[in-house]
């Protein structure tokens, strides 16, 4: 294992997510999240440039909306076959309440 260089630890989650782009909504699943960003798995082609609104459905009754930018994208293969496409998003706008919610999850890991 290498040394962790992130400022905030990533918390594994399985939250449905919608990324709103100028060309429409992209549905996916959050693989992990921190107060600074998230890794999201998705299966459709997407233009993820510029500012993006990201809506995380962290429970049946609550969602969290943040603004972010793409940090990286990639295709992940298992046994030579495409397993999933993913994007790392860096949050540029997140409310204090949403930061506190994510921070509270860090205490559980």
């Amino acid at each position: 294992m290498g040394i962790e260089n992130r400022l905030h630890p990533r918390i594994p989650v399985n939250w449905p997510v919608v990324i709103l782009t100028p060309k429409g909504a992209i549905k996916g699943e959050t693989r992990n999240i921190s107060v600074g960003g998230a890794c999201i798995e998705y299966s459709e082609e997407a233009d993820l440039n510029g500012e993006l609104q990201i809506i995380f459905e962290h429970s049946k009754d609550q969602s969290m909306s943040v603004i972010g930018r793409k940090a990286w994208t990639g295709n992940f293969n298992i046994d030579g076959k495409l397993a999933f496409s993913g994007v790392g998003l860096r949050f540029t706008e997140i409310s204090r309440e949403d930061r506190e919610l994510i921070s509270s999850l860090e205490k559980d890991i």
Side-chain angles (χ1 to χ4, degrees), residues 9-107:
R10 294 287 174 126
I11 300 115
V13 294
N14 293 307
W15 295 347
V17 64
V18 176
I19 304 170
L20 301 177
T21 75
K23 295 186 179 179
I26 304 295
K27 292 183 180 183
E29 183 171 320
T30 312
R31 291 191 155 253
N32 61 55
I33 194 166
S34 78
V35 295
C39 175
I40 295 171
E41 175 182 342
Y42 60 95
S43 61
E44 33 191 305
E45 287 292 314
D47 177 10
L48 298 173
N49 294 310
E51 293 277 306
L52 303 165
Q53 182 177 5
I54 307 129
I55 303 167
F56 298 96
E57 299 170 17
H58 59 86
S59 75
K60 290 186 184 241
D61 300 327
Q62 288 187 307
S63 63
M64 176 173 56
S65 180
V66 304
I67 303 297
R69 289 187 165 274
K70 173 181 71 175
W72 56 265
T73 58
N75 293 319
F76 298 89
N77 300 299
I78 297 175
D79 296 331
K81 296 181 181 158
L82 179 65
F84 69 92
S85 296
V87 60
L89 296 170
R90 179 180 46 84
F91 300 154
T92 56
E93 293 179 39
I94 181 170
S95 72
R96 181 177 52 83
E97 293 85 7
D98 291 338
R99 287 179 65 87
E100 289 172 359
L101 170 74
I102 296 168
S103 292
S104 73
L105 297 173
E106 292 176 7
K107 297 171 185 148

